[in-house]
Amino acid sequence: MSILIKNGTLLCPQGPVQADLRVEGEKIAAIGPALPEADCQVTDAAGKLVFPGFIDTHTHFEMNKGKPNETADNWATGTLAALAGGTTTVLDFAEPERGCSLESALETWHSRADGNASCHYGFHMTIKDWNPQIKAELKEMTAAGVTSYKVYLAYDNLKVSDGVAYEVIQAVGEEGGIVGCHCENGDLVTAGIAARKAAGDFSPAAHPLSRPDGVEAEAIHRWLCIAEQAGFPVNVVHISTRRGMEAVESARRRGQKVYAESCPQYFLLDDSLYSLPDFEGAKFVLSPPLRKKGDQDFLWEALSKGEVDTIGTDHCSFNFKGVKELGREDFSQIPNGIPGTEHRPVLMYTAGVAAGKITAHQMMKALAENPARLFGMYPQKGALVVGSDADITIIDPHDGGVLTAAAQHQNVDYTPYEGMEMKCRVDTVLLSGEPAVSRGQVVKTKQGRYVHRGPSRFWR
Ligand code: DUC
Ligand code: ZN
Ligand code: ZN
């Protein structure tokens, strides 16, 4: 049966269009005015916004599996939450064990996701070890649909040297893929943590002080100098600061192709939350940390100017009880990460579109089109065009609600956005042409499929 979405405002690549959209099977079959209703199940989208299904470029489900700091969301709960919130594809970070192959990580991530996922999914691959065997595996990864990678310049168990970063950018670039980087200066983070502890400061409030904005800005600048010499475009993930964005913008002015990701928490939350009483600040411990209001203002401005390309969540959920509490006596032992994949679209709509900071079309680009282009899924995903996959999210901007942990699908005992009033609601989601969310309720689960991705499509 076909589905006809009538009378909606469609967020098409060229801009908002008042039109109908017909879905046949798994694909978008027609877009135009007054399409015939015959033989169609009709969804009236009058007054609503019809987006291509949102793509979360950055999740960590089932991270640290089997360890005391295991994430709260597994593949079943994380992707169900994403779907409920209007996200139809997530890109999660597969991470090999030290000394193990990329293929082993890919197998592990498939074994966790396949058959459990409620939205579609792909994998970025984290590079920790770098040697001729790993380099030789890049071709197999391309054949397996993995075309994006991440390296870290921080975390002792993950970080790579500048020389390795240079080689990884070149090797991945030659394969037509892209490398993203967690940009914090690891040595300065270690020094910052030691300095806070030496000052007798072991509380969550020490976390942002231990890794101030310069720690991010230096690493972004260095990463972009490495990329310039390597000669390939790169991505910078989870940018949190004005100074970090400025480093990206000045590299672009020098002619470099640089892509920038940020996350809702850096637009909506700030570092005053670390001073909450009763260890509540631990709920906001993630890296890079939350920043100042001035950083938020700069990021909104950058997003509205098209300087921020993608909005992912860095969803990495840890229960407060028993897990964040591992760091009660020492902030540096608090597992780093916060939940968010369920709420990214409504948060960015409410604080961005409804507040007049960005347009719905800009939101569509940052949450759907640009992720699909950068990560080799366009125009199969990320576009309301005839022939594309019918992954579609309808948002009602005349409804809303208050975000609470009690009402969320995320399998974690808090939300950083508790009590925030939303100015919209996710009404309907089609996943490959099938209703998966209807009137705000999830009606179909475990239908997510692996997305075999191609090369990046660069637009800068
Ligand atoms: N930062 C976090 O806060 N959590 C997961 C990984 C990361 O880079
Ligand atoms: Zn990171
Ligand atoms: Zn991350």
Side-chain angles (χ1 to χ4, degrees), residues 38-53:
D39 300 327
C40 287
Q41 178 188 313
V42 176
T43 297
D44 185 11
K48 301 193 177 114
L49 300 169
V50 183
F51 287 91

Side-chain angles (χ1 to χ4, degrees), residues 216-297:
E216 176 175 82
E218 184 281 332
I220 293 179
H221 178 67
R222 177 159 42 102
W223 169 244
L224 297 183
C225 290
I226 296 167
E228 181 181 30
Q229 194 166 333
F232 286 95
V234 287
N235 191 23
V236 183
V237 300
H238 52 50
I239 299 176
S240 64
T241 59
R242 172 185 184 136
R243 288 175 65 184
M245 259 329 287
E246 283 173 343
V248 168
E249 290 174 15
S250 54
R252 285 176 178 158
R253 282 195 292 275
R254 289 193 297 273
Q256 256 183 277
K257 272 194 203 304
V258 181
Y259 296 88
E261 178 202 70
S262 190
C263 314
Q265 55 269 27
Y266 302 122
F267 292 82
L268 279 106
L269 306 174
D270 68 71
D271 63 358
S272 62
L273 291 160
Y274 293 115
S275 304
L276 288 173
D278 302 327
F279 195 60
E280 289 278 310
K283 291 180 175 174
F284 304 92
V285 167
L286 81 163
S287 292
L290 302 179
R291 305 296 188 177
K292 310 260 174 235
K293 290 252 188 253
D295 292 291
Q296 287 181 3
D297 294 343

Side-chain angles (χ1 to χ4, degrees), residues 309-325:
D309 300 292
T310 60
I311 300 288
T313 56
D314 205 0
H315 177 100
C316 188
S317 58
F318 296 107
N319 279 321
F320 180 72
K321 281 252 161 298
V323 184
K324 286 285 188 183
E325 285 181 335

